[in-house]
Amino acid sequence: MKFRYSILLSALVIAGAGVQSVLADSIAYSTNGAFTANTSGGVVAAESIKFGTGGNTTTLTFVPTLQALDTPVTGLLGVFSITSTGSGASAGDNTADFELTITQTVPGPGTGTSGGSVTDHFGGKITSKKGGYFITLIPTSLDILNVHYQIDNLQGPSNNQLAVGGANTSVVADITATSVPVPAAAWGGMGLMGVLGGTQVFRRRSISR
């Protein structure tokens, strides 16, 4: 009898623990980028935008990515490339908008760590200064479910500008995952299983006697 009640007590303690936490450290996501030209210039084509006319142009292109990683990690969100013809061209100030979208599939909105996807995005304004391009990001970090993305390598007075220069510039983020709550009902179910298992063990012991 003491054996039976000890199992019952243990099960009730587990069930009464409420919400517990399990670290979900695996993530999977894809990205894409979209440019929007303002009235002052810029020609959009797929995931690129071209400034200038004739033989003097500069094209800014975003190359998306698909990643499956374990957190915490510095993860790639995509790569900007710049190509120019002739003497190139300037984007001016706020001549185009850019949106970087993250589509996260693990963890997803379904049961466990998968099932469907969740999407969020970074917005930005493109400017050019002294031959280089800058994307002013708003926001500079975001959360998708329990996963936090913080853009790295930012500069400027408000620490929200991404400098894009040279042939290729990687966009990276510090990615962390917080604990995923396990509902008390799940622990209650495991507690009930413990009670039933203990009862069966007790019955078998009684019969064997």
Side-chain angles (χ1 to χ4, degrees):
M1 185 64 70
K2 289 182 178 180
F3 176 75
R4 179 182 182 182
Y5 283 124
S6 64
I7 292 181
L8 174 61
L9 180 60
S10 298
L12 291 175
V13 169
I14 293 174
V19 178
Q20 300 294 324
S21 296
V22 177
L23 182 63
D25 58 357
S26 295
I27 62 169
Y29 63 87
S30 61
T31 66
N32 64 73
F35 295 92
T36 302
N38 294 331
T39 56
S40 54
V43 178
V44 176
E47 291 183 317
S48 68
I49 187 167
K50 182 172 70 174
F51 301 103
T53 57
N56 300 313
T57 65
T58 295
T59 301
L60 185 62
T61 302
F62 180 78
V63 180
T65 187
L66 175 65
Q67 300 287 324
L69 306 166
D70 289 330
T71 62
V73 68
T74 299
L76 180 68
L77 299 183
V79 178
F80 283 105
S81 65
I82 295 179
T83 56
S84 296
T85 62
S87 58
S90 171
D93 292 330
N94 300 327
T95 58
D97 296 327
F98 175 75
E99 184 174 274
L100 169 58
T101 300
I102 301 176
T103 301
Q104 181 178 292
T105 54
V106 178
T111 302
T113 59
S114 62
S117 62
V118 185
T119 299
D120 206 340
H121 65 271
F122 296 96
K125 292 285 187 181
I126 301 174
T127 62
S128 61
K129 299 175 182 178
K130 296 181 180 179
Y133 283 81
F134 295 86
I135 300 177
T136 302
L137 295 171
I138 302 174
T140 59
S141 66
L142 57 80
D143 296 289
I144 300 179
L145 297 179
N146 66 305
V147 182
H148 182 73
Y149 299 81
Q150 171 65 60
I151 300 289
D152 269 353
N153 301 325
L154 297 176
Q155 55 184 264
S158 300
N159 197 36
N160 65 345
Q161 290 185 336
L162 178 67
V164 180
N168 296 292
T169 300
S170 295
V171 184
V172 296
D174 289 329
I175 307 173
T176 55
T178 56
S179 299
V180 176
V182 177
W187 292 104
M190 287 187 284
L192 179 59
M193 292 176 63
V195 171
L196 295 176
T199 301
Q200 293 300 320
V201 171
F202 177 77
R203 286 178 178 173
R204 284 196 292 269
R205 281 191 164 195
S206 299
I207 294 172
S208 64
R209 290 176 184 174

